[in-house]
Amino acid sequence: RLVVKRMRRGGLAASPWRDRFAGTARLLRNLSVPIEARRRGVPTAAPAALLMEQGPPGLYRGWLATDEILGAEDLLTRWAGTRPPGESEVAEVLRTVRRMHDAGVEHRDLNLGNLLLRSREDGTPEAFVVDLDAARLRDGPLPVGKRRAALRRMERSYLKRFGERGPLAAPR
C-alpha cells in the first residue's frame, strides 16, 4: 500500500506557485532525500515512485508515493485520543528525532504531524519521521542550534494543537 502526496511549496513562494516547480531538480530531491535518510538509518517511509507532470513551459507538478507505514498514526492524532501518551512513546519519538539529527538530516518542517508512532508486536512503540521534502542533508551531525530549532518547532506544533494543558502536561 502506498501513500501519495502532492508536492507543494511552502514559505513565500507558496501562494503564487502553489504546486508548480521551475524545472525538475527540487522534485527529484524530494525522492533522493528520503532514500539517503533511510540509508543513514533514519526510520522513514520508503519512497516508491515520483510522478512529474509538465505544465506550462519549464514548470512541473509532482506527486511522491511512499510505502505506507502500517498501523502508524501521526502524533497529532495519536495523542488526541483518550489515553495519554506513555513515557516510552515520548522517549521513542525523541530518540528517533535524535537519530535523524545525528545522521545529518535537517527536517525543516518537523512538527507532530510529521512524526508517526505505532506499536511493535511486543507492544513497544516505534517512531518514524515522514514528509522529508523540506529536509536538507548535511555531511555530519546537525549542530546544536539546528537541533534546538527543530525541537522548538515540535513544541510550537504541540502547543498549537493541545495548549498548555495537553496530554503531556503534568497532572495538577
Side-chain angles (χ1 to χ4, degrees), residues 25-160:
R26 168 104 183 260
L27 296 169
L28 291 170
R29 192 185 69 191
N30 289 338
L31 182 63
S32 64
V33 169
I35 290 170
E36 178 61 16
R38 285 176 60 85
R39 190 190 72 72
R40 293 181 185 190
V42 177
T44 189
L50 174 66
L51 172 67
M52 292 186 285
E53 171 187 67
Q54 187 170 7
L59 294 180
Y60 293 83
R61 285 184 174 148
W63 293 264
L64 179 64
T66 59
D67 289 342
E68 179 181 17
I69 300 173
L70 295 173
E73 294 177 290
D74 67 72
L75 296 186
L76 291 171
T77 302
R78 186 163 178 130
W79 290 355
T82 57
R83 177 184 65 83
E87 280 184 38
S88 62
E89 284 186 0
V90 175
E92 174 64 12
V93 168
L94 293 175
R95 272 193 301 272
T96 299
V97 170
R98 181 173 184 171
R99 281 177 60 190
M100 177 180 68
H101 290 164
D102 288 348
V105 178
E106 179 185 358
H107 194 309
R108 297 181 314 157
D109 187 27
L110 190 60
N111 62 67
L112 299 189
N114 293 333
L115 292 161
L116 306 182
L117 205 53
R118 71 177 178 189
S119 296
R120 294 182 180 98
E121 286 185 21
D122 65 1
T124 61
E126 181 177 29
F128 300 87
V129 182
V130 295
D131 202 11
L132 293 171
D133 54 308
R136 287 187 181 162
L137 298 171
R138 298 184 172 265
D139 289 334
L142 245 59
V144 171
K146 296 286 186 184
R147 293 174 189 242
R148 285 186 184 139
L151 293 174
R152 283 194 299 272
R153 274 193 304 282
M154 287 175 56
E155 179 184 36
R156 283 193 305 272
S157 172
Y158 174 86
L159 292 172
K160 181 178 177 181

Side-chain angles (χ1 to χ4, degrees), residues 1-22:
R1 295 176 55 170
L2 299 175
V3 174
V4 179
K5 178 188 174 197
R6 182 182 224 166
M7 304 280 77
R8 296 187 187 272
R9 294 181 160 283
L12 296 174
S15 182
W17 288 81
R18 292 183 210 146
D19 63 350
R20 301 281 184 173
F21 296 85

